Amino acid sequence: MSELKEAKTTVQSTTLANMSLHNHEQVVFGFDEATGLKCIIAIHNTILGPALGGTRMWAYANESEALNDVLRLSRGMTYKAAITGLNLGGGKAVIIGDSRKDKSEAMMRRFGKFVNSLGGKYITAEDVGIGTKDMEYVHMETQHVTGIPESMGGSGDPSPVTAFGVYMGMKASANYRWGNDSLNGKKIVVQGVGHVGESLVSHLVKEGAKVYITDIFQDRLEAVVKQYGVEVVDKDAFYDMDMDIYAPCALGATLNDNTLERLKCSIIAGAANNQLADEKIHGEAVMKKGILYAPDFLINAGGLINVYTELEGYNRNRALSKAENIYNTTLQILKISTEENIPTYVAANRMAEQRIEAIGKVKLSY
Ligand code: NAD
């Protein structure tokens, strides 16, 4: 076998093996030399509807890191849509590259063509490193896109609705833990003050919380400090701080062996997807430590709600009122977790799986 053939076989078998771990339906790789585009689109499950999930642009160290991320993220979208009561499946895309340096109109339009080739089975939107302007370019090549600018009849940036949903989930967790949902005076660390993190900070500051922020970019920190007068903490040292609430709003897997040893908070509630590095191990570890963990895919569903509303004809108030309901679902999940002595992520997964199963059966009938 030639070297090229061997390399192809290795990638393919690894991908299929990875897909079979969590039953992914389809994974599509896209490459375009002219624009430098290297992307992967993963479709996890389409029982409830077309797979909708954002596109993340990140400078992954290698291809398998990107594949791992897109598989995890797309699965999370299936659960997020299901638990939120939306008729959507789960999918996600990643573009390998530095969004600050490598992105271009041509790249995004080429990506749009890849999305279009899936014929509506996958619908894209923004995620880390991708904004509404990028979606505008994608929209030039496909209709299967949400999160396009409001001026073009879309729902615009979903982040404020995501942040509102996270805020609701955080308040519900506070209510469950402390008997009332006020965040006034609570010490809260927001990790990552990008689109969602900054918007979350604005809700928290308004409510009188003592907010600390951290980020890897100095310009983000300066902008948020200037606007809200919050305090900056070191991006690694903050894990050792005394705090009431930790709000992960950067990337995933920040709840891991290292950080859980150090965290001393009462509640974890944030926007980042896949916060538990290993769902089973760290989901249980969080529970054993007595920390209330608001499942990420439940409380960060505001963005998905927002783009879903766009598919129906956008209305911001409808999106916000659906996102407000995250409060009630969070309370429900925390209650099940306590009553059955199971980690919160297990309770949330189960609720999502029950809906997929029930609706899947309904769809079988004519
Ligand atoms: P963003 O790119 O606008 O912001 C992320 C911020 O995190 C950036 O400022 C980045 O510099 C910072 N960051 C990265 N690594 C960090 C680290 N190690 N320590 C501290 N800061 C770090 O992205 P966003 O749209 O705000 O999304 C944030 C998270 O929420 C992501 O995990 C995303 O998948 C998730 N999420 C976003 C939405 C949405 O509507 N945008 C919806 C659901 C979930």
Side-chain angles (χ1 to χ4, degrees):
M1 201 187 271
S2 74
E3 236 175 67
L4 184 63
K5 272 191 182 154
E6 270 180 37
K8 274 186 181 160
T9 310
T10 311
V11 169
Q12 214 173 41
S13 59
T14 309
T15 306
L16 281 170
N18 282 329
M19 286 171 73
S20 68
L21 280 178
H22 293 293
N23 217 2
H24 280 77
E25 285 179 20
Q26 194 174 6
V27 173
V28 180
F29 288 75
F31 174 75
D32 181 59
E33 192 174 15
T35 58
L37 175 68
K38 286 184 230 163
C39 66
I40 314 176
I41 299 173
I43 295 172
H44 175 249
N45 185 297
T46 54
I47 289 180
L48 294 178
L52 197 158
T55 299
R56 172 173 296 190
M57 185 160 183
W58 193 253
Y60 294 100
N62 53 51
E63 185 183 315
S64 72
E65 201 183 88
L67 177 64
N68 191 30
D69 206 26
V70 78
L71 290 176
R72 277 165 56 99
L73 290 165
S74 56
R75 177 168 171 260
M77 294 308 293
T78 299
Y79 281 78
K80 190 183 306 199
I83 203 167
T84 312
L86 307 178
N87 293 318
L88 290 173
K92 200 90 183 181
V94 293
I95 297 177
I96 301 172
D98 183 337
S99 66
R100 291 189 169 209
K101 289 200 303 232
D102 303 332
K103 206 164 52 180
S104 65
E105 175 189 350
M107 177 188 275
M108 293 316 299
R109 292 183 67 165
R110 190 69 188 89
F111 174 70
K113 277 191 176 285
F114 278 121
V115 171
N116 201 48
S117 71
L118 292 169
K121 192 171 177 186
Y122 169 66
I123 304 170
T124 198
E126 295 94 343
D127 192 57
V128 177
I130 297 288
T132 46
K133 186 73 194 161
D134 303 311
M135 285 302 116
E136 199 177 323
Y137 293 138
V138 171
H139 184 55
M140 289 174 187
E141 307 298 337
T142 184
Q143 291 302 310
H144 308 304
V145 52
T146 54
I148 54 174
E150 284 166 276
S151 58
M152 292 172 67
S155 59
D157 178 9
S159 310
V161 183
T162 303
F164 178 67
V166 170
Y167 177 53
M168 288 296 105
M170 191 184 278
K171 281 180 76 66
S173 306
N175 189 349
Y176 198 77
R177 164 101 331 160
W178 295 305
N180 79 71
D181 68 10
S182 170
L183 300 175
N184 190 5
K186 299 291 182 209
K187 283 174 87 170
I188 305 175
V189 176
V190 179
Q191 177 189 40
V193 280
H195 290 92
V196 182
E198 176 169 356
S199 186
L200 178 63
V201 166
S202 81
H203 288 292
L204 302 179
V205 167
K206 232 179 265 161
E207 205 181 317
K210 179 91 190 87
V211 180
Y212 300 84
I213 60 165
T214 181
D215 202 288
I216 50 172
F217 288 115
Q218 195 57 29
D219 56 349
R220 289 305 310 141
L221 291 170
E222 281 167 13
V224 177
V225 167
K226 192 165 168 219
Q227 172 114 15
Y228 303 99
V230 291
E231 219 175 285
V232 173
V233 287
D234 180 81
K235 69 179 180 356
D236 295 311
F238 86 87
Y239 286 113
D240 299 308
M241 263 175 72
D242 272 322
M243 59 180 120
D244 295 303
I245 302 175
Y246 164 43
C249 296
L251 294 188
T254 59
L255 303 177
N256 53 47
D257 291 345
N258 170 34
T259 58
L260 285 179
E261 281 254 304
R262 299 159 63 192
L263 273 172
K264 291 188 281 284
C265 58
S266 300
I267 290 170
I268 299 171
N273 285 305
N274 299 320
Q275 291 166 27
L276 298 165
D278 181 307
E279 212 173 51
K280 193 164 165 22
I281 297 172
H282 302 112
E284 284 186 9
V286 169
M287 183 175 154
K288 279 208 184 98
K289 272 186 76 106
I291 298 177
L292 249 186
Y293 166 62
D296 48 15
F297 68 88
L298 163 64
I299 72 164
N300 73 10
L304 185 62
I305 290 170
N306 201 53
V307 291
Y308 181 73
T309 313
E310 181 175 341
L311 294 176
E312 297 176 322
Y314 189 60
N315 178 312
R316 172 66 56 128
N317 286 338
R318 191 148 34 90
L320 285 171
S321 113
K322 211 166 172 50
E324 194 173 356
N325 196 42
I326 287 173
Y327 188 106
N328 296 326
T329 316
T330 305
L331 277 181
Q332 221 178 326
I333 291 297
L334 297 178
K335 196 161 169 275
I336 294 171
S337 157
T338 309
E339 283 172 0
E340 300 191 25
N341 195 26
I342 53 173
T344 54
Y345 86 90
V346 174
N349 281 359
R350 202 171 62 189
M351 190 184 275
E353 282 160 7
Q354 281 167 349
R355 177 160 181 262
I356 294 170
E357 207 192 325
I359 304 303
K361 282 187 189 142
V362 171
K363 287 193 169 188
L364 287 177
S365 48
Y366 184 67

